[in-house]
């Protein structure tokens, strides 16, 4: 029995609440409308995330026609779902080590998030004119005809996780967690064993090939309960560090890994709940984040 898609999630505003879908279109950033908005610290122009502000996870966006309606702290903010960036001031922001061009959505949005989070904040939208390429571990022009890119996601366009992997993690935890603790885009069910997705390289979904590139390393973000916004000081991160330090590559060997990053081979297409994952190729040997660029399905020797 082949695995199928059981859940689809997008996160229009990075670190805010998910929207569950029954189907999603693809875009050049992965799933349509996924992580194209970002809350920033206006003093530094750096991203704000639920790592530091767990209550961000309770800000709830909803798509209503051509609007994004955000509810937080008993108040509502409405912004264009796809803002015309020519109507807004430019702002250069930083996501990790990447510098990105964005449109600042103005004073009303800034006041909304500043009041809700209790710290100066502004809302920005990713400029479609600025590319944020995904190079390391990703397929390139030779494989898919274009350089993959992403908006405000940490690293990759799409994150996939199996229900069976979450169930296995819960056998090690006193307080069970759910897939949303890991903020995946695609949740699958029906794999033959927990973490089978770690082994996938080429997977066809609804007639389109997806490159499953590397495991996702984990910080303490899964410690935030997506239902309440409460953050546990230790779990599940402490347990994950003991059972899921499975990647031998560079810095990844010091971190737990849960979920697998993916790059679709086109910017258009549709995925739906119930779609079958046809695994065409699996990784040979130990999967490692080597730090080298380019695409390979074979193990790479990692130096000290």
């Amino acid at each position: 029995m082949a695995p199928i898609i059981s859940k689809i999630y997008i996160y229009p505003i990075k670190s805010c609440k998910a929207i569950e879908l029954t189907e999603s279109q693809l875009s050049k950033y992965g799933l349509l409308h996924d992580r194209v908005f970002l809350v920033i610290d206006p003093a530094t122009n750096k991203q704000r995330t639920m790592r530091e502000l767990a209550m961000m996870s309770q800000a709830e966006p909803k798509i209503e026609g051509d609007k994004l309606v955000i509810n937080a702290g008993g108040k509502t903010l409405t912004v264009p779902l796809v803002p015309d960036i020519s109507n807004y001031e430019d702002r250069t922001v930083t996501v990790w080590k990447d510098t990105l061009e964005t449109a600042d959505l103005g004073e009303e949005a800034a006041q909304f998030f500043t009041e809700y989070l209790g710290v100066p904040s502004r809302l920005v939208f990713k400029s479609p004119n600025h590319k944020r390429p995904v190079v390391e571990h990703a397929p390139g022009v030779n494989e898919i005809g274009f350089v993959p890119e992403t908006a405000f996601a940490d690293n990759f366009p799409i994150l996939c996780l199996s229900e069976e992997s979450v169930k296995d993690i819960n056998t090690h935890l006193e307080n069970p967690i759910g897939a949303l603790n890991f903020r995946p885009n695609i949740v699958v069910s029906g794999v033959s064993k927990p973490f089978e997705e770690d082994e996938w390289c080429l997977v066809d979904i609804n007639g389109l090939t997806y490159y499953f590139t590397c495991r996702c390393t984990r910080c303490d973000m899964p410690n935030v309960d997506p239902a309440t916004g409460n953050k546990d000081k230790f779990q599940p991160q402490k347990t994950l560090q003991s059972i899921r330090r499975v990647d031998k590559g560079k810095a990844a060997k010091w971190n737990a890994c849960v979920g697998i990053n993916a790059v679709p081979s086109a910017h258009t297409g549709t995925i739906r709940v119930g779609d079958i994952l046809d695994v065409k190729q699996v990784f040979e040997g130990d999967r490692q984040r080597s730090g080298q660029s380019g695409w390979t399905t074979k193990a790479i020797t990692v130096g000290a």
Side-chain angles (χ1 to χ4, degrees), residues 11-12 25 37 63 74-75 95 104 106 111 121 124 154 170 182 185 200 246 255 268 282 295 302:
Y11 311 82
Q25 303 297 313
F37 293 88
I63 296 174
K75 297 182 178 180
V95 175
D104 186 312
Q111 182 178 356
S121 302
V124 300
D154 277 358
N170 281 333
F182 301 102
N185 296 111
W200 297 342
V246 293
N255 295 280
T268 59
V282 297
W295 170 255
V302 178

Side-chain angles (χ1 to χ4, degrees), residues 123-170:
L123 182 67
V124 300
F125 178 77
K126 172 73 171 57
S127 169
N129 301 323
H130 179 266
K131 293 185 180 294
R132 186 184 177 210
V134 178
V135 178
E136 198 168 63
H137 317 294
V141 175
N142 291 340
E143 288 82 21
I144 59 177
F146 59 88
V147 176
E149 58 182 301
T150 187
F152 296 128
D154 277 358
N155 292 298
F156 283 86
I158 291 174
L159 178 66
C160 178
L161 177 64
S162 74
E163 292 182 5
E164 288 78 5
S165 297
V166 178
K167 290 177 182 177
D168 183 81
I169 289 169
N170 281 333

Side-chain angles (χ1 to χ4, degrees), residues 243-256:
I243 65 172
R244 287 297 300 167
R245 284 175 56 181
V246 293
D247 200 307
K248 298 179 180 180
K250 286 198 170 182
K253 65 186 176 183
W254 305 111
N255 295 280

Side-chain angles (χ1 to χ4, degrees), residues 181-192:
N181 284 72
F182 301 102
R183 299 178 71 79
N185 296 111
I186 299 173
V187 180
V188 301
S189 64
V191 299
S192 61

Side-chain angles (χ1 to χ4, degrees), residues 17 57-58 224-230:
K17 196 174 277 288
S57 67
Q58 301 306 292
V224 178
D225 184 339
T228 65
N230 295 329

Side-chain angles (χ1 to χ4, degrees), residues 18 25 73 112 132 140 148-149 179 191 193 200-201 220 231 301:
Q25 303 297 313
F112 177 86
R132 186 184 177 210
E149 58 182 301
V191 299
K193 61 183 179 181
W200 297 342
C201 276
D220 66 349
K231 185 175 183 178
T301 301

Side-chain angles (χ1 to χ4, degrees), residues 70-86:
I70 307 142
N71 294 290
K75 297 182 178 180
T76 300
L77 171 71
T78 300
V79 298
L81 179 60
V82 184
D84 180 350
I85 64 169
S86 66

